[in-house]
């Protein structure tokens, strides 16, 4: 028995390994529950009584040596990466990929900057609104279809609490607390009870603009929008205003820009018309000024509102509005260099 112990001890002292996995194999072979050293403890029962003391001591010494040896081998591999020459510590670290700005944020910032150059400030209002700010203050008649359950998300059972369907609600809030001159834009998220498709979503973003002062005219509106369109889509851009209707403006118009893809010649993006509709606008209805506490005999103003998704889709040739909300990094990473 003592010979067997001595032999095992020599074997263990000579052990070497070339990697962590091999160390683990050795650990199992020698010191696990069924390992060779543990086996000796089992055999110990058969040792004659007079030898028990010596053999017992020898087995314990062997066990400790085996544990030390295995730990020593293990540590030699754990420390291998820490400056023993096998790792080049001067190598640059793994590059970490930075996030990218969302295309809607890129375009929103661009629009905000363009209007900032004209002296427009930025304001925000709540997404959960009341009927007055979204509809009544803006001259929507009580039976107007936009109030319909089809379009508007109401909160719980209270018809006075709803998700704003447009950022025009912020007009009312700003006019209530500020006297002219007011020159501001209001970017934000809006909600409509729409079936989701490639062209429509129940959540989207708008930017509303408002200018109220003495003697503000339709010519001011037109020139402001022309400047904006050329800054955003390029200096060759033309605009055209088509008569339209909104409850809160009179007269009202919809604005088209010449198609930036074909330069107005006609392509499948502009459906061969040469024009792309991008916003609604008009002179603020005197009823709206009065209901927000601004004297419509003294002041006039213009307002406009545009959808950020639509403009972003036109600018980047994005064909499906749902991409904006899916957070697919393959889509988002395409805008890495866009700001
Ligand atoms: N609020 C309108 C919409 O969501 C857009 C709009 C049209 C805003 C005309 C305006 C405006 O300020 O004057 O469709």
């Amino acid at each position: 028995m003592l010979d067997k112990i001595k032999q095992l001890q020599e074997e263990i002292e000579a052990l070497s390994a070339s990697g962590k996995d091999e160390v683990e194999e050795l650990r199992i072979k020698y010191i696990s529950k069924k390992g060779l050293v543990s086996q000796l403890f089992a055999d110990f029962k058969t040792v004659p009584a007079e030898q028990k003391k010596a053999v017992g001591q020898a087995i314990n010494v062997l066990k400790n040596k085996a544990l030390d040896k295995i730990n020593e081998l293990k540590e030699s591999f754990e420390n291998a990466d820490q400056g023993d020459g096998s790792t080049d510590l001067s190598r640059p670290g793994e590059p970490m990929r930075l996030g990218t700005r969302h295309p809607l944020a890129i375009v929103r910032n661009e629009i905000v900057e363009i209007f900032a150059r004209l002296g427009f400030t930025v304001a925000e209002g709540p997404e959960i609104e009341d009927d007055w700010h979204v509809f009544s203050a803006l001259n929507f008649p009580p039976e107007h279809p936009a109030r319909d359950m089809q379009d508007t998300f109401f909160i719980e059972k209270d018809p006075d609490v709803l998700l704003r369907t447009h950022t025009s609600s912020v007009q009312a809030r700003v006019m209530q607390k500020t006297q002219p001159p007011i020159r501001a834009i209001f970017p934000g998220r809006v909600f409509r009870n729409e079936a989701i498709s490639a062209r429509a979503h129940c959540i989207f973003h708008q930017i509303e603009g408002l200018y109220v002062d003495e003697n503000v005219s339709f010519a001011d509106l037109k020139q402001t929008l022309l400047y904006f369109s050329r800054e955003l889509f390029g200096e060759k851009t033309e605009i055209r205003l088509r008569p339209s209707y909104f409850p809160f403006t009179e007269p009202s118009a919809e604005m088209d820009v010449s198609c930036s893809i074909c330069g107005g010649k006609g392509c499948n993006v502009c459906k061969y018309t040469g024009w792309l509709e991008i916003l609604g606008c008009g002179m603020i209805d005197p009823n709206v000024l009065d209901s927000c506490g601004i004297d419509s005999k003294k002041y006039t103003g213009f307002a406009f509102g545009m959808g950020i998704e639509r403009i972003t889709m036109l600018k980047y040739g994005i064909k499906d509005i749902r991409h904006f909300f899916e957070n697919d990094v393959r889509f988002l990473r395409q805008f890495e260099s866009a700001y």
Side-chain angles (χ1 to χ4, degrees):
M1 184 84 180
L2 281 171
D3 284 347
K4 201 173 163 193
I5 294 170
K6 199 168 163 233
Q7 197 193 336
L8 209 51
Q9 192 162 323
E10 277 163 11
E11 199 178 312
I12 288 170
E13 268 161 8
L15 286 181
S16 68
S18 61
K20 275 186 189 171
D21 293 348
E22 242 180 88
V23 178
E24 177 61 9
E25 273 167 35
L26 294 174
R27 187 191 67 78
I28 293 167
K29 181 172 173 195
Y30 291 100
I31 55 175
S32 68
K33 269 207 184 112
K34 290 193 179 132
L36 293 173
V37 176
S38 314
Q39 208 71 60
L40 293 174
F41 283 98
D43 296 342
F44 186 64
K45 287 196 281 295
T46 62
V47 173
E50 68 279 12
Q51 286 179 28
K52 268 197 160 52
K53 193 173 170 205
V55 173
Q57 274 175 353
I59 296 179
N60 273 323
V61 169
L62 173 69
K63 189 186 95 182
N64 289 334
K65 286 211 162 136
L67 274 173
D68 287 347
K69 183 73 191 180
I70 299 286
N71 281 338
E72 186 189 313
L73 287 173
K74 223 193 239 169
E75 268 168 36
S76 74
F77 291 108
E78 264 154 18
N79 293 334
D81 291 344
Q82 297 182 0
D84 65 349
S86 66
T87 305
D88 178 1
L89 295 179
S90 66
R91 263 177 58 191
E94 288 290 315
M96 235 210 296
R97 200 150 187 173
L98 289 178
T100 58
R101 231 180 265 281
H102 194 282
L104 294 176
I106 295 171
V107 171
R108 183 202 55 213
N109 292 348
E110 211 176 325
I111 296 172
V112 167
E113 276 167 26
I114 293 170
F115 282 104
R117 295 202 277 279
L118 294 173
F120 283 74
T121 55
V122 176
E124 281 179 10
E127 293 177 349
I128 302 174
E129 262 291 6
D130 51 44
D131 178 279
W132 192 83
H133 288 93
V134 178
F135 299 124
S136 300
L138 299 174
N139 206 31
F140 279 81
E143 72 287 359
H144 194 283
R147 293 171 181 247
D148 201 293
M149 299 290 275
Q150 298 275 308
D151 271 317
T152 310
F153 285 116
F154 292 89
I155 307 264
E156 305 253 306
K157 292 190 186 76
D158 185 349
D160 194 40
V161 185
L162 45 95
L163 296 179
R164 64 181 179 193
T165 55
H166 55 180
T167 43
S168 304
S169 55
V170 192
Q171 282 189 29
R173 290 198 170 265
V174 169
M175 286 194 280
Q176 270 183 308
K177 35 174 225 269
T178 331
Q179 280 299 305
I182 303 169
R183 200 161 26 170
I185 55 169
F186 321 123
R189 200 153 51 153
V190 299
F191 308 84
R192 283 186 203 176
N193 194 356
E194 300 249 13
I196 296 171
S197 70
R199 300 180 54 114
H201 210 287
C202 57
I203 303 176
F204 56 101
H205 299 78
Q206 290 186 330
I207 293 191
E208 188 80 13
L210 185 68
Y211 179 32
V212 189
D213 202 350
E214 289 178 46
N215 301 318
V216 174
S217 71
F218 201 93
D220 295 325
L221 169 61
K222 194 174 171 189
Q223 189 58 34
T224 302
L225 295 179
L226 179 64
Y227 171 81
F228 160 69
S229 304
R230 291 190 169 161
E231 289 292 294
L232 190 65
F233 291 107
E235 57 188 27
K236 293 208 173 66
T237 306
E238 297 295 341
I239 62 168
R240 97 180 162 178
L241 291 161
R242 284 177 289 103
S244 184
Y245 173 77
F246 299 102
F248 35 94
T249 43
E250 182 60 35
S252 303
E254 272 167 333
M255 187 187 86
D256 300 340
V257 291
S258 53
C259 179
S260 54
I261 303 203
C262 63
K265 284 190 208 72
C267 66
N268 62 357
V269 175
C270 61
K271 304 210 178 69
Y272 300 94
T273 62
W275 296 97
L276 301 164
E277 183 200 320
I278 63 159
L279 57 79
C281 60
M283 300 305 293
I284 301 167
D285 193 301
N287 287 344
V288 174
L289 294 173
D290 289 331
S291 61
C292 297
I294 289 177
D295 184 356
S296 65
K297 294 197 184 60
K298 188 166 174 207
Y299 296 109
T300 53
F302 65 68
F304 54 85
M306 62 189 104
I308 305 180
E309 278 78 1
R310 177 160 169 79
I311 292 179
T312 308
M313 288 168 85
L314 294 173
K315 242 183 112 81
Y316 292 112
I318 297 164
K319 299 235 158 52
D320 193 319
I321 196 170
R322 290 169 290 200
H323 287 312
F324 293 123
F325 305 100
E326 278 162 3
N327 288 333
D328 185 331
V329 290
R330 291 168 303 178
F331 171 72
L332 297 172
R333 280 189 184 142
Q334 295 180 50
F335 301 88
E336 238 158 343
S337 57
Y339 64 97

